[in-house]
Amino acid sequence: MSNAYEELKPFLERAQAFSTARILFEWDNETLAPRAAEPNTTKVVGTLSGEYFSVITDEKVKELVRRCRQEKESLGEVESAVVRELAEEIERLECIPPEEYREFAELTAGSTGIWARAKENNDFESFAPVLKKIVEYSRKFASYRAKEGQRLYDVMLSDYEKGFDIETLDRFFGTLKERLVPFLKKLTESGVEIDDSFLTGDYKEEDQEAVGRFFAEYVGFDFDRGVMAVSAHPFTTNLHNKDVRITTSYNNRVDDSLFSVIHESGHGIYEMGIPDELTQTLVGQGASMGMHESQSRFFENIIGRNEAFWIPVYDRLQKQFPGELGDVSAEQFVKAINKVQPSLIRTQADELTYSLHVMIRYEIEKMLIEEGLKVEKLPEIWADKYEEYLGVRPRNVSEGVLQDIHWSQGSFGYFPSYALGSAFGAQLYYFMKGKMDFEGLLKKGDIKTIREFLRENIHRYGKLETSRQILKRVTGEDFDPGYYTDYLTEKYGKLYGIKAE
Ligand code: ZN
């Protein structure tokens, strides 16, 4: 082992501790913290971020990184990857003046609360000034890091998915638009009606929580190493591989919370599958946002919305809701949870139209960051695009532009990863079907074999490889969005009795 790496370790541990504490406060802000706590807690979060910044950009750390690179022959695989990530993190942070970094951390710590209240009160004006500041900071920070000629949105995109820039994404979304939009039109014009009325009803919160916990555990979320709470928008936080936290929210539609729990469990299972030697290091998380979404959406849709999945466990759901589902057959239920219905809310969107919601956000972010779109114009542009692609128009900003938390956190460039993740998942699914009797395993209630495959081939690598490298190593092929459009048109063509072009 390199001596420089040994000297680096205590610095890395300190940085890890500050960032873990900050993440824990963020989790707390979204779940349990009292409303009045915000201004004071925001200061604490600002200080923690500042301390993290100081450790990472310490002159001694930089010197040690240089020495590690000279001694790279003596570094193991994990150590090399940690040094690589650290060098990138230093570069990312050093471009930003510490004062601005701190201001931004404080701004975003308070902004999610302002967003949540604006959404609740259907009041875009109260959020717009904060959002304007966040956009300004984000553009400024990206400009510090942009290589010559690099577009600002490309800098932001690279934070979430290396190797997927505007040019690549324009092509990716172009394929989806070309294949899915006409298919969706055909489907909605087919006149096939699926009844999903029984999914809405008097579904008590405590019953929903009970089934949520059952299904989280059924797919493999380990409650000895994880917890589940309630927040405005479901999300997953991981402190390390033995403390992974998921959230959900409840309303009178039973499938909303059920599938968000399975989705977040997919994220959680990924983080729980990170091996001990990687956790609490800079490579101890999922490979990328897209690869993370590939796992969550794999559990939610490819597993959870699969007809075979429900065969052994549908009666568990019926038992919890005898009044609502007692007379509904498993077949009716599976049709209902796969009903295609162009709608307004991304997180409640069906599997087929989901990526069109993402496409809208991608186009708007590109306009906001690259084309000078004014924040004030957002509600209208948003509504226009929904009308154009999905044929529905929001009546207010709560069900329109204010529905997602991401922009309030300064996460621009994140959304495309949702669609990419679905596409990665479809490519993995076709590969796995060639290796195992996928649906047969689901019918037997054997999620473990599937989960173990994902752990062995994806989770245990953490951030040692990029998403593209992982796909190539596992499936033997480069990223190919054709699997995703094939998967969707096959599945929904069968369900609705229509043929793709
Ligand atoms: Zn997710």
Side-chain angles (χ1 to χ4, degrees):
M1 185 180 284
S2 128
N3 286 329
Y5 193 83
E6 277 302 307
E7 282 183 56
L8 198 53
K9 270 181 162 175
F11 289 98
L12 289 169
E13 274 160 21
R14 268 183 60 127
Q16 193 70 35
F18 287 126
S19 89
T20 306
R22 184 181 52 81
I23 290 166
L24 186 53
F25 271 112
E26 281 169 7
W27 150 272
D28 191 58
N29 260 336
E30 305 295 329
T31 52
L32 287 171
R35 185 175 288 197
E38 207 174 278
N40 293 3
T41 304
T42 295
K43 282 186 210 158
V44 179
V45 171
T47 305
L48 288 168
S49 297
E51 289 299 317
Y52 175 79
F53 185 95
S54 316
V55 179
I56 295 284
T57 57
D58 193 306
E59 287 306 319
K60 181 75 186 162
V61 171
K62 283 187 264 178
E63 185 212 315
L64 289 169
V65 168
R66 275 191 297 274
R67 276 180 47 207
C68 280
R69 289 184 147 170
Q70 284 157 8
E71 299 169 14
K72 65 171 181 269
E73 301 301 316
S74 56
L75 293 177
E77 190 195 9
V78 175
E79 293 154 7
S80 299
V82 167
V83 171
R84 181 197 69 213
E85 288 295 317
L86 178 57
E88 279 177 20
E89 181 76 341
I90 292 171
E91 201 195 324
R92 197 157 41 224
L93 293 180
E94 264 206 328
C95 321
I96 303 169
E99 203 39 48
E100 288 182 15
Y101 181 80
R102 194 194 152 101
E103 283 164 14
F104 183 68
E106 288 187 15
L107 175 68
T108 49
S111 58
T112 54
I114 296 171
W115 160 77
R117 282 191 289 282
K119 181 181 173 183
E120 202 179 303
N121 300 327
N122 192 24
D123 172 21
F124 185 72
E125 280 67 38
S126 66
F127 178 56
V130 187
L131 181 58
K132 216 183 272 181
K133 276 192 210 161
I134 294 173
V135 173
E136 277 165 24
Y137 272 108
S138 303
R139 293 190 83 250
K140 193 156 70 173
F141 291 173
S143 75
Y144 294 150
R145 293 160 50 205
K147 310 252 179 323
E148 215 190 307
Q150 194 183 13
R151 287 185 280 188
L152 297 184
Y153 192 40
D154 275 339
V155 176
M156 299 176 192
L157 288 167
S158 69
D159 281 342
Y160 302 102
E161 213 61 47
K162 281 180 192 158
F164 291 88
D165 57 6
I166 296 174
E167 209 189 317
T168 318
L169 288 173
D170 279 349
R171 269 203 309 272
F172 170 57
F173 285 113
T175 307
L176 301 191
K177 207 185 285 193
E178 194 183 305
R179 288 203 57 197
L180 297 184
V181 173
F183 179 76
L184 176 64
K185 194 157 181 280
K186 216 166 160 181
L187 187 150
T188 45
E189 285 169 358
S190 71
V192 177
E193 281 295 331
I194 289 177
D195 177 22
D196 68 342
S197 57
F198 48 83
L199 295 177
T200 307
D202 188 19
Y203 288 98
K204 300 239 175 344
E205 193 171 317
E206 54 273 29
D207 290 328
Q208 291 195 52
E209 191 189 333
V211 293
R213 282 178 191 280
F214 171 83
F215 281 101
E217 216 162 2
Y218 182 73
V219 299
F221 187 84
D222 176 359
F223 279 99
D224 286 336
R225 299 191 286 154
V227 295
M228 184 169 99
V230 178
S231 67
H233 185 103
F235 68 100
T236 300
T237 291
N238 71 299
L239 305 182
H240 44 72
N241 67 356
K242 293 180 180 62
D243 190 343
V244 180
R245 300 165 183 230
I246 60 173
T247 72
T248 188
S249 61
Y250 300 104
N251 59 46
N252 64 352
R253 254 198 90 117
V254 70
D255 55 332
D256 279 356
S257 72
L258 181 58
F259 286 99
S260 79
V261 167
I262 299 177
H263 177 97
E264 301 306 330
S265 295
H267 283 302
I269 288 163
Y270 194 170
E271 293 299 340
M272 286 168 175
I274 301 287
D276 288 342
E277 75 255 32
L278 295 189
T279 197
Q280 294 185 300
T281 75
L282 288 169
V283 292
Q285 312 90 36
S288 68
M289 291 302 167
M291 195 44 80
H292 238 296
E293 281 307 312
S294 84
Q295 298 306 287
S296 56
R297 298 187 65 74
F298 194 95
F299 276 89
E300 177 191 350
N301 293 320
I302 292 174
I303 294 179
R305 285 193 166 86
N306 197 314
E307 194 181 355
F309 174 82
W310 288 98
I311 290 172
V313 280
Y314 180 60
D315 63 343
R316 172 66 186 81
L317 199 62
Q318 279 183 312
K319 221 168 77 192
Q320 195 83 36
F321 304 109
E324 289 78 12
L325 296 176
D327 296 331
V328 176
S329 70
E331 199 193 334
Q332 286 172 299
F333 176 76
V334 168
K335 277 197 168 155
I337 57 172
N338 284 298
K339 181 178 180 172
V340 175
Q341 177 94 66
S343 69
L344 293 166
I345 308 293
R346 176 184 60 86
T347 54
Q348 293 164 13
D350 59 78
E351 190 182 11
L352 179 64
T353 57
Y354 186 82
S355 56
L356 303 179
H357 289 255
V358 177
M359 191 169 78
I360 289 169
R361 286 152 178 79
Y362 169 69
E363 289 181 0
I364 291 178
E365 285 191 348
K366 211 166 70 173
M367 292 168 81
L368 204 54
I369 306 300
E370 290 296 324
E371 294 157 26
L373 173 69
K374 295 258 178 298
V375 163
E376 291 79 7
K377 293 263 184 215
L378 281 174
E380 198 189 328
I381 293 274
W382 185 282
D384 288 347
K385 287 202 180 285
Y386 264 81
E387 199 159 2
E388 187 186 342
Y389 295 129
L390 290 155
V392 289
R393 193 175 181 90
R395 286 157 302 180
N396 56 56
V397 286
S398 296
E399 61 182 23
V401 69
L402 284 184
Q403 65 184 271
D404 297 305
I405 195 171
H406 305 61
W407 293 345
S408 78
Q409 296 170 322
S411 304
F412 297 98
Y414 186 124
F415 284 119
S417 63
Y418 291 120
L420 282 173
S422 303
F424 296 167
Q427 187 166 339
L428 289 165
Y429 172 58
Y430 277 97
F431 178 77
M432 289 169 78
K433 271 163 80 87
K435 295 268 155 202
M436 58 182 81
D437 178 11
F438 196 93
E439 273 69 26
L441 291 167
L442 292 180
K443 276 181 204 161
K444 282 192 297 184
D446 180 2
I447 315 289
K448 194 172 172 222
T449 302
I450 294 167
R451 192 175 63 243
E452 284 295 306
F453 178 92
L454 297 171
R455 196 181 60 80
E456 252 322 286
N457 290 284
I458 299 171
H459 306 171
R460 78 179 175 91
Y461 287 86
K463 241 182 152 83
L464 294 177
E465 295 176 358
T466 66
S467 53
R468 214 156 179 157
Q469 288 168 328
I470 290 173
L471 272 183
K472 195 148 193 191
R473 174 175 47 74
V474 180
T475 69
E477 283 180 279
D478 198 0
F479 170 60
D480 179 356
Y483 286 110
Y484 181 42
T485 48
D486 282 352
Y487 162 75
L488 289 174
T489 50
E490 267 174 38
K491 175 174 173 181
Y492 290 92
K494 190 178 151 207
L495 199 75
Y496 277 82
I498 50 166
K499 276 213 168 83
E501 299 296 326

